[in-house]
Amino acid sequence: MGVVSLDVLRQMSLMATVLVMTATKVVAWCENKPYDMAGKETVTQIHFYFHDIVGAKNATGVRVAEAPSTNQSATSFGALVIVDDALTEGPELTSKLVGRAQGLYGYVSLEEPVLLMALSYYFIDENFNGSTLTTLTRNPFPDTYREFPIIGGTGLFRYARGVVEAKSHSFNATNGDGIVEYNVTVIHYCSPEMLKNNWGAHATT
């Protein structure tokens, strides 16, 4: 029994050593920080227009894949589109460019016109230059009003969460081009360093 107990103790000692070494390695690449180091929680509201051009020579939305049955589907089920759509201050495409919506959307419903959209909104406006917001959402695009969740962001919009209220502004049934009005409310964290760089000039708490 004594020999067996000694072997057990040796095994337990070895396991403890391994656990300590593992814990040490974790600490080396992972460190807890105070919650407030993320910055000040801020609410920002943004308004712009989204231009999806798919039926012209200067198309910003291009179909890159489809299912064998897509062309026979009343809802274009199975089609996949890559976009680099303009975001503008006003509804006219010639108005001030404030960013781009880059990503993809697919037609995902057999019974009704519905998209699944995965888009990153990249802003070039002087107040949000270089910052992004990301949405992953179901979009029943024939509806006049829709809501999209904001699931993240970068730059000024670190740790972002919020909602997009989207309203159809115009739609060309002949070529599929559409303009959508966006009202965005986003909650994010703005650090003092960002404020020094004049980011968050439109932010309110």
Side-chain angles (χ1 to χ4, degrees), residues 28-43:
W29 62 264
C30 178
E31 183 179 358
N32 292 327
K33 294 288 187 180
Y35 183 75
D36 58 6
M37 286 191 67
K40 182 180 180 182
E41 187 175 78
T42 305
V43 178

Side-chain angles (χ1 to χ4, degrees), residues 31 44 50 70 85-86 93 119 138-139 145 148 170 180 185 191-192:
E31 183 179 358
T44 297
F50 172 101
T70 294
D85 289 337
L93 189 57
L119 295 177
R138 180 182 186 271
N139 179 9
Y145 296 93
F148 310 147
S170 64
V180 182
T185 301
S191 69

Side-chain angles (χ1 to χ4, degrees), residues 135-179:
T135 59
L136 177 63
T137 186
R138 180 182 186 271
N139 179 9
F141 60 92
D143 294 356
T144 302
Y145 296 93
R146 289 94 74 196
E147 287 191 0
F148 310 147
I150 295 170
I151 62 171
T154 63
L156 172 66
F157 302 123
R158 290 178 183 175
Y159 314 107
R161 65 191 190 278
V163 66
V164 174
E165 296 176 85
K167 177 184 177 182
S168 296
H169 178 78
S170 64
F171 178 72
N172 187 324
T174 302
N175 62 16
D177 292 354
I179 303 173

